[in-house]
Each structure stands twice: as C-alpha cells, then as structure tokens.
Amino acid sequence: MVKDPALTSLGVMVLALLSEGDMHPYEMARLLRARRDDRIIPISNGTLYHTVSRLNGQGLLEEVGVDRDGNRPERTTYAVTPAGADAVREWVRRELGGSRRQTPFRVALAEAHNLDRDEAVDLLTQRLALLREELATIGAALDGAGTRDVPEQYLLEPIRHRLMLQAEIDWLGTLIPRISSPDFAWGPDPDHLLAKRKAHQNG
C-alpha cells in the first residue's frame, strides 16, 4: 500500500460509495450519475475505471469477486479496505476545515458524515472562521478600491466573491448549530443507504 496516498476527488467519491457495499465499476458509475454527483465532478467511464485501478494498486480497495451476466463481459467487484476507509476520513478532515478549493470542499462536505459529529462541527467552525477572515480582507480591498474611484467594471469578480462568501458564512452559521444537535441525524445509516441503492437499481 502507498503511504499517505494522494487521493483525487473522484477517488474519495468511489471509496465512499464502496462503504455502502461491494460493487463493480459499472454500478459505481451508474449510481454516481443517478445521484447527480457529476454536478460536482465530471464522471467518465474511462476516468472511473482508471481511478478504480489506481486505488486498487494503492491497497485502498480490493477485488472480491468476478461475475458474468449473460453474454456481457465479466465484471470485477470491489470492496473498500480499512486503509481506504481511513484515507477517506483523513481526506475529508483536510478539505472540510480549510480548503479554498471549491470542488474538493464540496466533495468533503458531501462525505462529512464519515466523521464523528463533533469533529465535523469543529472543522466546519474552523472553516467559518477562515471565511470571515477572508470576507474582511476582500471587504477592505473593495473599500480601498472605492476610495480610489476604481471603475466597477474591474471589480465584478471580487464583488461576486464577497457576496458568495457572505452567503456561505450565513449558511454555515445556521448549519453548525443544527449538526451539533443530537436531533440532527448523523453518521452511518446502512438501512437508508441500502434503500437508496436498491431504488436506483430499480429505477
């Protein structure tokens, strides 16, 4: 196994998907698309198969069987390994609390339930503090541009960025207390995941 594997966002999504049960790459691709995870990251069959092969080589997933359906080609079924499950949690920890990269953060947020509730709350609280600092910085820069009469046409991107920062800050400000409450469902729910998987299989 590779020490401290460098996971891609798609690799994390594949490993997290396998936590629901063993499956072959064709089913992985179908489920990811059915759940609209391709909104976050493009998913092509070639990229997915390459990712599965690389994760297998890193010891983060493993082959657990080969089956054939009629005249279709054989399909190899994979399972996540303990090292793979650990790698997902470590990746989510790194990206959830302070990542300024939007795609990895969105994947980490989608998989935040793999962490303990208190840890997820702490990491999101760290992110909230960083976003507030960033908002103050960009606000000061825009104020300075205003005093210099910089035309607004040159400030469209930072103005948008400030609005997006404020929206996420407001959202996190309401989300963190909700997750902190024991009334907010959190953590593995095998029955729910199995039901979702069967629904997509039958859909």
Side-chain angles (χ1 to χ4, degrees), residues 1-202:
M1 185 187 69
V2 177
K3 184 178 180 180
D4 298 328
L7 290 177
T8 63
S9 295
L10 181 56
V12 172
M13 293 168 72
V14 166
L15 292 173
L17 189 64
L18 287 174
S19 69
E20 300 179 25
D22 305 345
M23 62 187 79
H24 48 72
Y26 177 81
E27 184 178 8
M28 296 177 204
R30 187 175 55 77
L31 282 173
L32 289 170
R33 293 189 181 110
R35 296 174 183 179
R36 299 305 308 277
D37 288 326
D38 53 353
R39 292 178 302 106
I40 301 175
I41 184 171
I43 298 171
S44 69
N45 290 344
T47 302
L48 181 66
Y49 278 84
H50 174 75
T51 298
V52 168
S53 177
R54 185 165 49 79
L55 294 171
N56 187 36
Q58 292 176 311
L60 303 181
L61 53 74
E62 61 185 355
E63 299 180 10
V64 292
V66 177
D67 61 75
R68 181 189 294 275
D69 184 6
N71 294 324
R72 293 179 179 176
E74 290 184 343
R75 290 176 177 169
T76 302
T77 301
Y78 294 90
V80 65
T81 64
D86 288 343
V88 168
R89 287 188 289 270
E90 186 56 39
W91 191 94
V92 171
R93 288 186 185 103
R94 183 174 67 250
E95 299 294 341
L96 190 64
S99 176
R100 286 180 167 81
R101 302 180 299 161
Q102 278 302 306
T103 295
F105 171 71
R106 291 175 69 189
V107 174
L109 187 62
E111 302 301 338
H113 57 270
N114 287 284
L115 303 179
D116 290 339
R117 182 194 303 271
D118 290 344
E119 185 174 18
V121 167
D122 288 344
L123 290 168
L124 290 172
T125 301
Q126 290 176 30
R127 179 175 180 81
L128 179 58
L130 289 173
L131 292 179
R132 284 172 171 159
E133 291 177 6
E134 189 174 353
L135 180 64
T137 299
I138 198 169
L142 286 170
D143 289 345
T147 62
R148 297 192 304 275
D149 295 323
V150 176
E152 188 174 353
Q153 63 176 314
Y154 301 118
L155 302 174
L156 297 181
E157 194 286 325
I159 289 172
R160 174 192 177 277
H161 188 49
R162 180 173 61 181
L163 290 171
M164 298 298 287
L165 282 171
Q166 186 62 63
E168 186 172 348
I169 286 169
D170 292 344
W171 176 69
L172 284 174
T174 61
L175 177 67
I176 291 170
R178 290 181 63 216
I179 295 178
S180 300
S181 170
D183 294 331
F184 190 96
W186 192 261
D189 186 348
D191 293 337
H192 175 68
L193 293 174
L194 181 60
K196 282 175 60 179
R197 186 175 171 189
K198 287 183 176 178
H200 290 305
Q201 287 173 339
N202 299 328

